[in-house]
Amino acid sequence: MHPAQSSITRRAALTAGAGLLAAPVLAQPVCDLGLPGHVEGPHVWRDYDQDELDAAYNQEFYQPHTEAVNSRLSALSFDLRVRRGYPERVAYGEGADEAMDIYKAPQAGGPVFVFLHGGIWLYLDASLAGFAAEMFLDRGAHFIALDFSPVNELGGDLGRMADQVQRGIAWVARNAATFGGDPSRIFIGGHSSGGHLAGVAMTTDWREFGLPSDAVKGGLLMSGIYDLEPVRLSWRKAYIAFTDAMVDAMSPQRHLDRINAPVVVSHGTLETPEFQRQAQDFANALKAAGKPVQLVVGRDYFHQDMWETLGNPYGPNGRAALALMGL
């Protein structure tokens, strides 16, 4: 959890929606989408009522062991730092959260993988992502975990968060050679809300940052969100200041023409129905637009479990990352 977290805690998140376990309404059909005792109300988006939509954008309703996985990943990340050495901490901007952890490969000249953590745009930080570094280091790649501010410290503006991410990636592209990375082989990836931010980064015109348009050679988008329209109707509007302009600008699926590098989209079959649909729809849209895309489906994986597989060369995301980078 981010050290500067907002007053919205994970427990509060469970009930932040409009009465996720609201009292039954007479003469309406019973809902069977994982909300015990819930009776379906008026639809607010597609065939979801408010409670169903809120639950579909809250992994806690579908993964009962989130905290256990996060605790394990934290322990694995600490163990990695003890065994392989602490990463170099480097700032890419002037903000307190504008920094990154650089895990350097044993030899110079390797590709670079920049990872964007999740946490509903509010929680977690780069230190928790260190567990995945070892797989990349063992294949000769540098692994960078990027930090950025929680959205509640940015006025609820996802555009400001995306700007931090873009500036962080641009710093890596400009300075890769200084830590032994190959600036011509920069790849990015993100999980959950980090998957969304990675999707936004894939639509970036890097020429605006003084870089080649193909500065990023590929992206691994794990369990992310690619169209914010249903999200703005969910409980997440409690801490994100959605506007029409933000929804349009921050929805990668609406800007497929800007994507000019291979994309891998992944999700687990035990994630919420909306996270699965978002991944499938985005991959299908990319394919229809003639973009190089691969959809990776992790059978019987929950949301956080999919993140954990990034550190496993035989797991869905680890295997996909190595293939994307040609390793």
Side-chain angles (χ1 to χ4, degrees):
M1 196 169 289
H2 197 283
Q5 70 184 50
S6 76
S7 59
I8 300 179
T9 64
R10 285 192 179 278
R11 186 171 298 277
L14 294 177
T15 54
L20 292 178
L21 298 178
V25 178
L26 296 178
Q28 292 195 9
V30 175
C31 166
D32 61 355
L33 294 180
L35 296 172
H38 171 68
V39 176
E40 187 172 6
H43 294 171
V44 296
W45 190 79
R46 296 195 175 185
D47 58 351
Y48 289 86
D49 71 10
Q50 189 65 62
D51 292 352
E52 294 163 354
L53 186 63
D54 287 341
Y57 282 99
N58 189 338
Q59 294 291 345
E60 301 286 354
F61 278 92
Y62 290 80
Q63 176 164 343
H65 58 290
T66 297
E67 294 299 342
V69 177
N70 286 346
S71 294
R72 180 167 64 246
L73 298 187
S74 178
L76 290 172
S77 296
F78 177 75
D79 177 69
L80 181 279
R81 291 190 288 271
V82 170
R83 289 186 297 102
R84 302 290 290 261
Y86 277 70
E88 181 180 358
R89 185 72 172 175
V90 176
Y92 64 85
E94 297 180 356
D97 298 305
E98 295 179 352
M100 64 186 74
D101 291 346
I102 303 177
Y103 296 85
K104 299 179 183 179
Q107 296 182 340
V112 183
F113 188 88
V114 182
F115 176 75
L116 312 175
H117 69 77
I120 65 172
W121 297 294
L122 278 175
Y123 305 128
L124 309 182
D125 57 41
S127 67
L128 194 63
F131 75 91
E134 189 161 29
M135 181 194 77
F136 292 89
L137 300 181
D138 287 347
R139 298 297 182 99
H142 306 272
F143 182 85
I144 295 179
L146 199 68
D147 265 325
F148 36 87
S149 301
V151 73
N152 62 300
E153 294 184 6
L154 300 172
D157 187 350
L158 292 176
R160 293 177 63 189
M161 179 179 279
D163 174 69
Q164 288 182 317
V165 167
Q166 290 164 331
R167 287 189 287 112
I169 295 170
W171 186 96
V172 172
R174 293 192 197 100
N175 295 278
T178 65
F179 57 81
D182 182 349
S184 69
R185 291 190 290 167
I186 306 295
F187 298 83
I188 67 174
H191 175 262
S192 195
S193 56
H196 162 258
L197 293 169
V200 174
M202 291 300 293
T203 70
T204 302
D205 184 350
W206 296 108
R207 293 172 298 184
E208 296 178 1
F209 293 84
L211 296 167
S213 59
D214 63 346
V216 172
K217 295 301 190 292
L220 172 57
L221 314 184
M222 300 169 272
S223 306
I225 294 170
Y226 312 105
D227 187 344
L228 292 178
E229 184 58 35
V231 187
R232 79 184 299 189
L233 301 174
S234 78
W235 68 278
R236 297 194 186 210
K237 63 188 175 185
Y239 62 93
I240 298 177
F242 287 113
T243 64
D244 290 345
M246 182 201 295
V247 168
D248 182 66
M250 294 292 105
S251 293
Q253 192 159 331
R254 303 185 185 189
H255 305 287
L256 302 177
D257 59 307
R258 301 178 186 173
I259 296 177
N260 61 4
V263 176
V264 178
V265 183
S266 68
H267 74 82
T269 61
L270 298 182
E271 300 195 52
T272 84
E274 270 297 276
F275 274 76
Q276 293 187 56
R277 182 198 63 77
Q278 286 263 4
Q280 293 164 8
D281 283 3
F282 187 48
N284 289 338
L286 283 166
K287 182 178 180 180
K291 304 294 182 177
V293 60
Q294 178 186 6
L295 177 65
V296 173
V297 178
R299 301 295 175 187
D300 298 323
Y301 282 97
F302 288 98
H303 188 67
Q304 293 299 86
D305 299 335
M306 282 296 286
W307 180 21
E308 188 169 14
T309 72
L310 180 61
N312 180 355
Y314 306 108
N317 283 320
R319 188 188 299 273
L322 295 176
L324 180 67
M325 301 176 76
L327 300 175

